[in-house]
Amino acid sequence: FHPTDRLLREIAGAASRRGTVTIITPTGGQAPSKSEQFFGHRNIVSLHRLKQLTDKAARKNLRFLAYKQAKNGLHKKVVVVDDTVYGGSSNLGEKSLVLTGDHEMNFKAESAALANEVFDHFKADIHLSYRIRKLSPTLKNRCIAWIHHLGANIWG
């Protein structure tokens, strides 16, 4: 979860206008994969930035979950808003959305049936997750996140 500043502001606005925003992301749980050990730090920093951008009244509408996955599995990048599903191969970050280093394919589907089906998959993921209640990025989180951000911008 490495969104651009613009996307973070949009998500914060959605929490203010629309109600609950749930984000499920790996953050380096009990037995994190190699990629989670690195990217999880940036996830924590990004979630903290989102919380800071959200007005105090709407923070109650943010729900951050850490996905506990024992083995590698589906690598989902999906957003459901009402009866619309956005998904694809791109990560929600600068490297995939802004820079030209990746060639991604995404879709938008306006379908209540698909939105319900995808949301049912999210419910299963929620059962494999735990609530992140305290977001206080450590110096280590911030340093590794900065290195990752810098690397994504240099190498694309």
Side-chain angles (χ1 to χ4, degrees):
F1 181 68
H2 315 141
T4 62
D5 287 338
R6 179 180 174 193
L7 186 52
L8 281 174
R9 286 190 303 273
E10 291 294 329
I11 295 169
S16 296
R17 294 184 311 274
R18 302 183 67 88
T20 304
V21 172
T22 301
I23 297 173
I24 307 169
T25 184
T27 61
Q30 299 293 338
S33 67
K34 294 284 185 201
S35 64
E36 285 178 51
Q37 290 175 26
F38 186 68
F39 296 116
H41 296 282
R42 191 156 178 203
N43 292 346
I44 291 168
V45 170
S46 295
L47 293 172
H48 179 69
R49 287 181 60 224
L50 173 57
K51 185 177 176 184
Q52 289 177 316
L53 287 170
T54 306
D55 64 73
K56 193 170 183 176
R59 286 183 188 159
K60 68 182 182 326
N61 296 333
L62 293 174
R63 185 166 74 154
F64 302 139
L65 301 174
Y67 186 61
K68 300 181 298 185
Q69 185 173 344
K71 296 181 179 181
N72 289 338
L74 294 177
H75 190 65
K76 302 174 206 150
K77 294 97 167 210
V78 180
V79 176
V80 178
V81 179
D82 300 328
D83 291 343
T84 303
V85 178
Y86 301 88
S89 64
S90 66
N91 290 310
L92 299 178
E94 286 179 300
K95 184 174 180 264
S96 295
L97 297 175
V98 178
L99 302 174
T100 59
D102 291 341
H103 301 283
E104 306 289 355
M105 181 169 292
N106 298 296
F107 69 88
K108 173 184 176 183
E110 295 178 355
S111 165
L114 180 60
N116 288 330
E117 186 174 335
V118 170
F119 197 74
D120 285 343
H121 286 281
F122 285 159
K123 288 177 187 173
D125 290 344
I126 288 169
H127 289 296
L128 295 172
S129 302
Y130 61 91
R131 186 101 184 241
I132 302 170
R133 298 195 182 277
K134 184 179 178 187
L135 276 175
S136 299
T138 64
L139 179 60
K140 179 180 179 179
N141 295 141
R142 292 177 190 276
C143 289
I144 292 175
W146 181 81
I147 290 167
H148 178 265
H149 175 76
L150 184 63
N153 284 300
I154 291 173
W155 294 291

